[in-house]
Amino acid sequence: TTMAKTFKHIILGGGVSAGYAAREFAKQGLKPGELAIISKEAVAPYERPALSKAYLFPESPARLPGFHVCVGSGGERLLPEWYQEKGIELILSTEIVKADIAAKSLISAGGETFSYENLIIATGSTVIRLTDFGVEGADAKNIFYLREVDDADKLYEAIKAKKNGKAVVVGGGYIGLELSAVLRLNNIDVTMVYPEPWCMPRLFTSGIAAFYEGYYANKGVNIIKGTVAVGFTANSDGEVKEVKLKDGRVLEADIVVVGVGGRPQISLFKGQVEEDKGGIKTDSFFKTNVSNVYAVGDVATFPLKLYGELRRVEHVDHARKSAEQAVKAIKAAEDGKAVEEYDYLPYFYSRSFDLSWQFYGDNVGDTVLFGDNNPESPKPKFGTYWIKDGKVVGAFLESGTPEENKAIAKVARVQPPVQDVDQLAKEGLSFASKI
Ligand code: FAD
């Protein structure tokens, strides 16, 4: 038998939170050889959101090493050399297939064993596939999903190979909206299909969605709502040719992109750490119920102090901040010190075409739409407040300036009372700017 490779700290997963955790370890002080990052991806941690945006642009697309962490939040870019200089071992193209929490060890597909004192679980999410539900023909060629840089490369090749072709985008969430836009920019004929009455229903109100649906229609994106893809046919090469919809319609397709959601990758730890709300349960320091095991990013179900409840958040800003919090807590514990509890303000964003929105806080309660949400306007700018128990608890803004985005973030944090909802609608953004 071979000896286990031993590290003081192992980060399992090489995505966004792994990169930000590594930077925080370096900042807090780390000896060479103490930290390893184990990733099934072949590249150092990078800013994943780029994959559905600039990575697929027709002109000068973003490529690694351009978007390694921590450029996405205005920090220094961590190239593979950086990890080398810091004595951080990047163990790439290595999938862990077994975790033994009691023995403090991980085993790779290649049969290697890695031991640790502290483990940070940063395995992120995996996409939900149509083949998971046995959708007929869903294993045809040119049906794509998007999670990792390899997936983006395959989609990019298909876009080049199917020049001026037709694409069907299954799903009306972030991935569906961002990929539809970028496929249109590549002059692909795009049809989106989703079952809900409007896009991004988990966040958007009908008023917000109406703007994006109108804007996308003006850009030539066809939208079919209220039905789902129930099957695919392929040509003699096994390439997808048609998408069959539940309502009986059949759409031609050279490319299909599926964005129907993700699920946290926690199966390695089943029965070994406590779970809640579909993720690994942590405290405010991202420590699990096992004292030397932490979980950060998409997999963590943590106390969201502002709302007094446990939540799981699948967004990049939280991946970054939770990673930093976990490392601060690990280092403070070593010195017998304490760190402050995580006090997160949820922040989501997306970009497509010339659009860019930000959302802060909680999307619960009544809503007030303000501003110009006419998709035909030359410079549309609009937003929405969410009001619960007489206080503004969430705010959304399309096409905000940096100052305006800061103002809506502050509103969501401060939760000012609202006396008059009609007045709030009239004041719009100036309400936020006064807080
Ligand atoms: P990830 O970044 O997913 O990293 C997980 C890593 O773990 C991967 O490298 C994976 O290969 C590795 N791994 C998993 N299991 C194993 C194993 N068993 N062995 C070895 N390695 C393993 N959020 C936003 O807020 N705004 C956006 O615009 C936005 N755009 C996005 C676009 C795309 C295409 C995607 C996929 C996500 C987007 N997100 C966005 C979400 C955001 O990227 C994630 O929330 C964030 O990446 C989560 O970070 P993480 O470190 O938890 O997981």
Side-chain angles (χ1 to χ4, degrees):
T1 59
T2 50
M3 289 267 292
K5 274 192 160 177
T6 300
F7 298 93
K8 186 165 182 192
H9 314 288
I10 289 181
I11 302 171
L12 176 57
V16 172
S17 44
Y20 282 77
R23 181 177 70 173
E24 190 63 31
F25 267 120
K27 202 165 132 188
Q28 301 270 336
L30 193 67
K31 293 194 195 81
E34 280 186 339
L35 172 64
I37 293 176
I38 305 178
S39 177
K40 78 181 158 56
E41 291 190 80
V43 293
Y46 58 87
E47 302 284 2
R48 196 165 305 287
L51 297 181
S52 51
K53 304 176 184 70
Y55 202 85
L56 300 170
F57 281 176
E59 304 293 335
S60 27
R63 282 292 175 273
L64 290 172
F67 59 99
H68 279 300
V69 296
C70 300
V71 290
S73 54
E76 189 202 331
R77 191 167 53 146
L78 308 184
L79 298 174
E81 299 84 283
W82 178 86
Y83 297 87
Q84 213 171 359
E85 276 163 29
K86 300 288 174 192
I88 298 170
E89 204 159 329
L90 274 182
I91 303 170
L92 303 176
S93 304
T94 301
E95 184 178 6
I96 295 301
V97 294
K98 190 172 186 292
D100 187 337
I101 294 293
K104 300 185 181 179
S105 71
L106 304 171
I107 298 169
S108 74
E112 281 177 288
T113 302
F114 302 94
S115 302
Y116 56 80
E117 282 172 41
N118 294 311
L119 174 65
I120 301 182
I121 302 170
T123 43
S125 302
T126 183
V127 293
I128 294 173
R129 293 176 180 268
L130 296 179
T131 45
D132 298 345
F133 312 112
V135 174
E136 177 204 346
D139 56 354
K141 287 181 199 154
N142 295 333
I143 299 181
F144 298 100
Y145 298 84
L146 184 59
R147 185 74 208 178
E148 300 187 346
V149 74
D150 284 353
D151 304 321
D153 286 337
K154 287 181 204 146
L155 178 56
Y156 185 80
E157 288 311 314
I159 291 170
K160 297 290 159 215
K162 303 290 179 185
K163 223 171 177 342
N164 308 328
K166 289 185 161 65
V168 171
V169 175
V170 177
Y174 276 93
I175 297 287
L177 284 167
E178 291 184 3
L179 287 179
S180 294
V182 95
L183 286 162
R184 271 311 289 146
L185 295 178
N186 281 281
N187 206 33
I188 302 276
D189 180 328
V190 180
T191 302
M192 294 182 77
V193 180
Y194 45 89
E196 298 90 354
W198 62 79
C199 62
M200 287 274 290
R202 274 164 61 185
L203 176 63
F204 289 0
T205 63
S206 60
I208 294 175
F211 168 80
Y212 293 98
E213 291 180 353
Y215 189 97
Y216 272 54
N218 290 343
K219 293 283 186 188
V221 176
N222 311 304
I223 299 180
I224 300 179
K225 301 190 265 188
T227 191
V228 293
V230 289
F232 301 90
T233 57
N235 65 19
S236 54
D237 294 330
E239 295 182 335
V240 69
K241 205 175 97 198
E242 286 170 342
V243 182
K244 293 189 262 181
L245 303 184
K246 193 172 183 181
D247 68 6
R249 275 184 274 189
V250 176
L251 307 172
E252 283 177 57
D254 304 300
I255 294 174
V256 171
V257 186
V258 183
V260 295
R263 63 169 76 92
Q265 306 206 77
I266 60 171
S267 56
L268 285 173
F269 307 99
K270 270 267 170 290
Q272 304 189 71
V273 293
E274 209 177 307
E275 291 179 25
D276 207 330
K277 296 187 173 168
I280 296 173
K281 187 179 174 186
T282 75
D283 63 12
S284 300
F285 311 98
F286 296 96
K287 192 197 278 192
T288 70
N289 67 311
V290 180
S291 69
N292 65 323
V293 178
Y294 292 72
V296 296
D298 283 7
V299 297
T301 300
F302 63 95
L304 211 153
K305 193 175 175 187
L306 193 56
Y307 308 130
E309 64 179 46
L310 291 176
R311 294 258 182 113
R312 207 166 58 71
V313 174
E314 289 182 357
H315 292 282
V316 73
D317 178 61
H318 162 71
R320 294 167 180 157
K321 289 179 176 153
S322 59
E324 290 169 356
Q325 171 76 350
V327 174
K328 281 183 189 142
I330 289 169
K331 297 301 281 188
E334 280 176 9
D335 303 337
K337 290 186 187 139
V339 292
E340 273 181 49
E341 285 180 338
Y342 195 59
D343 185 8
Y344 187 61
L345 174 68
Y347 161 46
F348 319 145
Y349 72 90
S350 180
R351 286 194 296 272
S352 61
F353 293 118
D354 293 325
L355 304 173
S356 168
W357 60 257
Q358 300 201 354
F359 167 81
Y360 295 88
D362 214 7
N363 58 317
V364 293
D366 300 327
T367 59
V368 167
L369 183 76
F370 61 84
D372 174 10
N373 73 330
N374 180 355
E376 316 272 347
S377 291
K379 277 199 177 303
K381 181 185 279 198
F382 70 97
T384 291
Y385 294 117
W386 278 259
I387 301 140
K388 197 185 160 207
D389 302 331
K391 294 184 295 188
V392 179
V393 295
F396 174 98
L397 185 60
E398 167 58 48
S399 297
T401 63
E403 293 72 39
E404 290 164 344
N405 287 327
K406 248 187 227 154
I408 63 158
K410 192 165 176 202
V411 162
R413 169 63 78 180
V414 172
Q415 301 185 343
V418 183
Q419 266 83 39
D420 182 341
V421 171
D422 294 332
Q423 179 65 21
L424 177 63
K426 258 183 239 136
E427 281 186 40
L429 202 46
S430 63
F431 175 86
S433 306
K434 285 187 320 217
I435 301 300

